[in-house]
Amino acid sequence: MFTWLEKNPFFFAVAVFIVIAYAGVVEVLPSFADNARPIDSKKPYTVLQLAGRHIYIKESCNACHSQLIRPFKSETDRYGMYSVSGEFAYDRPFLWGSKRTGPDLARVGNYKTPDWHSNHMWEPTSVVPGSIMPAYKHMFSKDADIETAYAEALTVKKVFNVPYDVEGYTKLGSWEEAEAEVKAEAEAIIAEMKYEEIRAAFERGEIKEIVALIAYLQSLK
């Protein structure tokens, strides 16, 4: 049998594919079934967090930072519990990344504060000596696009059945209600920042990109 396969490359390739596919199904499906559902602590993103996620993608943060802790001791010792698929149930698209020019950010919300993030984004070397990350000072002057984030939340709620408004989950009401929640969330973040110009802008009715980005980073836990 094996000799015959060796003499017929096409059928040999098919046999190898079948064996690998079977092994993959046996290995992957049980884990997927156990971990694919949203974990209890995972909630749909708030509108402000979605706005920050848009900024994270726009600025290509995922080109240098992964959001995926691998199940190796060296990783869990540094970053905490390894990632499971249920953590990403509401991510569209996934931002796992593959390159770590900077550290993994999957748990960054557990150990960094809004004040640290704002200082880091304004001048990275002020908090991480020797950092090669560029400064993102433009985020302190540009307004976050809250309306687009709200539109995305409505879309994923209707199309993908993301459980907004379900008891215990993130609420998503009318635009006026969502706007009020965005302002409350932003105000709590700004209270922990030391940038008076950000507070002054907020009092004028403006929410800067840095505030939305911090909201997103704080949600990564």
Side-chain angles (χ1 to χ4, degrees):
M1 175 65 177
F2 293 108
T3 301
W4 181 84
L5 282 175
E6 290 175 358
K7 293 179 179 179
N8 294 271
F10 173 77
F11 292 105
F12 183 81
V14 170
V16 170
F17 173 79
I18 291 173
V19 170
I20 293 175
Y22 176 77
V25 169
V26 170
E27 181 67 25
V28 172
L29 282 187
S31 176
F32 184 82
D34 290 340
N35 299 315
R37 298 179 181 84
I39 60 176
D40 291 339
S41 61
K42 189 66 177 177
K43 309 299 181 189
Y45 292 110
T46 66
V47 172
L48 186 63
Q49 290 166 2
L50 277 177
R53 194 169 191 269
H54 294 168
I55 296 164
Y56 186 95
I57 294 171
K58 180 184 70 173
E59 298 293 343
S60 297
C61 299
N62 53 309
C64 292
H65 296 278
S66 61
Q67 287 185 30
L68 184 66
I69 303 172
R70 304 174 183 93
F72 305 128
K73 188 175 186 300
S74 59
E75 301 239 336
T76 56
D77 283 351
R78 180 178 182 184
Y79 297 115
M81 172 67 179
Y82 60 82
S83 301
V84 296
S85 55
E87 294 179 59
F88 311 104
Y90 305 122
D91 285 9
R92 295 174 177 85
F94 300 121
L95 297 175
W96 293 325
S98 60
K99 187 178 182 181
R100 287 184 182 164
T101 302
D104 186 273
L105 299 180
R107 303 279 185 270
V108 71
N110 288 330
Y111 52 84
K112 299 299 184 184
T113 65
D115 186 52
W116 188 94
H117 283 304
S118 59
N119 292 331
H120 187 229
M121 300 304 290
W122 180 262
E123 184 54 66
T125 55
S126 68
V127 291
V128 183
S131 174
I132 62 172
M133 183 176 122
Y136 288 86
K137 295 181 180 179
H138 60 277
M139 291 186 185
F140 291 73
S141 58
K142 287 187 175 181
D143 291 345
D145 188 351
I146 304 300
E147 292 184 5
T148 297
Y150 178 69
E152 179 182 344
L154 285 178
T155 300
V156 297
K157 175 185 176 182
K158 295 177 180 178
V159 178
F160 298 105
N161 294 319
V162 173
Y164 284 108
D165 301 331
V166 175
E167 184 176 355
Y169 282 73
T170 306
K171 297 298 181 184
L172 183 66
S174 66
W175 164 247
E176 290 73 19
E177 292 170 325
E179 191 175 28
E181 290 176 359
V182 165
K183 289 180 179 178
E185 186 177 358
E187 186 173 23
I189 291 171
I190 293 170
E192 297 187 49
M193 299 169 63
K194 295 185 177 69
Y195 290 83
E196 290 302 322
E197 61 271 25
I198 300 297
R199 172 163 291 282
F202 177 75
E203 291 174 353
R204 295 194 302 267
E206 304 168 6
I207 297 176
K208 299 304 179 183
E209 287 188 343
I210 184 62
V211 178
L213 180 67
I214 291 174
Y216 172 63
L217 293 174
Q218 291 296 93
S219 75
L220 302 179
K221 299 179 179 180

